[in-house]
Every structure is written in C-alpha cells, then in structure tokens.
Amino acid sequence: MSNWTALLIPVAAGSLMAVQGVLNTLLNKNLGLWPATLLVHLLGLAGVGAVLIFTGTGFPTWGKISTVPWYAYLGGFINVAIIATVVLGISRLGAISATTAIIVGQVSTAALLDYLGLAGLTPKQPHWTHLAGLLLLVIGARLLLQK
C-alpha cells in the first residue's frame, strides 16, 4: 500500500466521524442524548456482528482476554463519552466549531501519547516540524472559531 493510499484511510475516517457526529446529533434531537447513544452502540454491535459473520473472521479466542492490559478495555467506555460529548458539542456550537475543537484535542492528545509512548506505543521524539504543525493547527482552529 502506498503512503498516499495509507493516508486516505484516516482522511476517510475523519470524514465519517464528521458525518457520524451530525447524524448522532439528529438522533439526540429526536430521542434524547442517552437513548441516542444506546441506539448508536446497539447498531454498531449489530454491524460488527454482521462483519464477523459474513467475513468469516469469527469471534475472538476468549482465553486471550486475560492477556490484554486492563486499560485496553477502557475504549468501550471512552466511546460512550466520545459520542455524548460530540453530540453535545455539535448541538451547541455547530459542526465546524465542534469538529475543529475535537481535532485540536485529538491531535494534541495523540502527540502526547506518541511522545510519551503511552498505551504500548513506541515513544517518538518530537520534531520541530511536529511542534510547528501543532502550533499552526491551533492558529487555524482559532481562525475557524472566530465569529
């Protein structure tokens, strides 16, 4: 896979996240925050179940569950918080402002995770171009958030 193709995959993920946030906000307006969040997770469970069944991937070997670090299981709980906070942000700020703030938080946290080597990542030395990019991201976010 080329670097450009590999880069398009997370770009697609970012696009899908923006659409998902708007759709989840629509569910929130009609059902309420927690019922909408529950419905999103039930639909996600059905979707993942279908992928496992139709791809023949199968379910994990349950014996491996005890070998996973305890903090790896926090992702499911964090996902609930992500959906709720994205919905609240978009419903109060609009899609562009909320998504801009989300991206700044996401990239800043990702930089810390990378630089500190947390959660099993190999630590990376910050390069001046990374720091300059983070600064430009914050400046760009400030411009997008101006009224």
Side-chain angles (χ1 to χ4, degrees):
M1 174 182 306
S2 76
N3 285 344
W4 285 108
T5 304
L7 189 59
L8 288 176
I9 293 170
V11 167
S15 297
L16 289 171
M17 287 176 181
V19 172
Q20 179 198 37
V22 171
L23 295 176
N24 290 349
T25 301
L26 182 60
L27 279 175
N28 171 53
K29 287 179 183 176
N30 288 281
L31 303 176
L33 179 61
W34 298 115
T37 302
L38 175 63
L39 181 59
V40 166
H41 281 87
L42 290 174
L43 292 169
L45 177 64
V48 139
V51 168
L52 289 173
I53 291 166
F54 292 118
T55 63
T57 305
F59 291 89
T61 305
W62 296 110
K64 292 182 179 180
I65 286 179
S66 64
T67 65
V68 178
W70 67 269
Y71 52 85
Y73 294 107
L74 296 176
F77 297 107
I78 291 171
N79 193 44
V80 171
I82 289 169
I83 289 175
T85 55
V86 167
V87 165
L88 291 172
I90 289 176
S91 65
R92 286 175 173 76
L93 301 173
I96 191 167
S97 294
T99 303
T100 299
I102 290 163
I103 291 168
V104 169
Q106 189 173 25
V107 172
S108 301
T109 303
L112 283 175
L113 292 168
D114 259 352
Y115 300 151
L116 299 176
L118 299 175
L121 294 175
T122 303
K124 295 184 180 184
Q125 290 296 319
H127 191 271
W128 74 267
T129 58
H130 295 168
L131 300 174
L134 287 169
L135 178 63
L136 290 172
L137 176 66
V138 170
I139 292 168
R142 178 73 177 114
L143 292 173
L144 281 168
L145 295 173
Q146 279 186 347
K147 299 207 183 228

